[in-house]
Amino acid sequence: SAIIEMECVSFSYGTAADGAYALKDIDLSVEEGTFVGLIGPSGAGKSTLASAITGAIPHHYRGRLFGSTLVAGLDTCEASLTDIAKVAGSVLQDIDAQMVASVVEDELLFGLENFGIDHHEIEGRIASALDAVGIADLRHREIATLSGGQKQKVAIASILAMTPRVIVMDEPTSALDPASARDVFEVLRRANELTGMTVILIEQTVALLAEYCDRVVVIDQGRIALDGTPTDVFSHG
Ligand code: ADP
Ligand code: ADP
């Protein structure tokens, strides 16, 4: 069944009078367990779409958000960010802004404590999340000393530790070399296959989307321009 259900979502950062919509009449339904790539030109609305899914559209803009977005049945416009984060974890484009701790294990610990996870369960969650992304050896490292790809894996591990049903990532590979970018996709696909976690990922590299995604959604000028399998979408025109 659908884990994400967006109906007629429109949004403008400006006043309605200037007519510029960041999102316009978005209808999007995502089956649970799907690995979805979002692609489109800069300014197309990809980050805004991700924000609508994670409830991150700032409150002072909410009056300009129309339609409904349900994630695991939660209305992301009305639910608290904490409740949404329990079903949908997100990684921002600015990975350094995302990090709250200075040591890797504390980054995972912070989220788990914040969610009130029982302390008997915390150690197991940290160990298995670090293991799932292949960074058990980085556990005691200072985050500031890690590479961009390693930081992305720490962010992914922090989210996996919370066992959400969806992960939303905004261009995790934009600052990575091709090998590290592929590595991030591998980690996400493994988590997707093992846990059935739905992946929503903004990415510009067609080759990665073609190889890893079940579904590619092309956003252009706030609208869904194309939507289908990588083969459907990339053989178009
Ligand atoms: P990208 O295209 O990679 O998503 P942008 O450079 O468009 O990134 O945006 C970077 C940041 O600037 C984001 O936080 C976005 O919300 C903000 N931003 C983008 N466009 C505007 C704008 N016209 N006015 C104010 N902030 C903006
Ligand atoms: P993308 O992620 O595809 O680059 P965005 O969702 O960041 O696109 O931006 C969609 C549109 O909204 C763009 O026209 C951008 O300039 C504008 N925008 C984004 N963030 C802001 C912001 N904080 N304030 C005003 N305009 C913004």
Side-chain angles (χ1 to χ4, degrees), residues 13 42-43 46-47 93 170-171:
Y13 288 97
S42 181
K46 303 179 297 295
S47 298
Q93 190 168 8
D170 194 343
E171 289 201 63

Side-chain angles (χ1 to χ4, degrees), residues 7-24:
E7 276 181 19
C8 213
V9 174
S10 292
F11 175 71
S12 166
Y13 288 97
T15 55
D18 70 17
Y21 283 93
L23 297 177
K24 184 67 179 153

Side-chain angles (χ1 to χ4, degrees), residues 68-187:
S68 77
T69 301
L70 300 181
V71 177
L74 282 182
D75 183 328
T76 65
C77 198
E78 283 165 8
S80 75
L81 287 178
T82 311
D83 285 343
I84 296 167
K86 284 177 180 160
V87 294
S90 75
V91 180
L92 307 173
Q93 190 168 8
D94 182 350
I95 191 72
D96 293 312
Q98 169 106 10
M99 300 292 172
V100 293
S102 54
V103 174
V104 170
E105 65 176 350
D106 295 338
E107 183 68 28
L108 277 70
L109 184 63
F110 177 84
L112 292 165
E113 286 184 334
N114 232 5
F115 274 21
I117 303 297
D118 188 279
H119 73 274
H120 295 295
E121 211 184 300
I122 282 182
E123 170 53 31
R125 290 232 198 172
I126 291 177
S128 55
L130 291 174
D131 214 40
V133 304
I135 56 167
D137 57 323
L138 300 181
R139 177 168 181 152
H140 302 292
R141 285 279 297 275
E142 294 276 335
I143 293 170
T145 68
L146 301 180
S147 70
Q150 288 171 329
K151 286 180 189 170
Q152 289 291 345
K153 289 184 189 174
V154 172
I156 294 169
S158 304
I159 286 173
L160 292 183
M162 324 281 237
T163 64
R165 292 168 69 182
V166 180
I167 186 169
V168 178
M169 300 196 70
D170 194 343
E171 289 201 63
T173 72
S174 62
L176 304 184
D177 61 83
S180 306
R182 170 170 295 277
D183 225 22
V184 166
F185 271 78
E186 281 290 335
V187 160

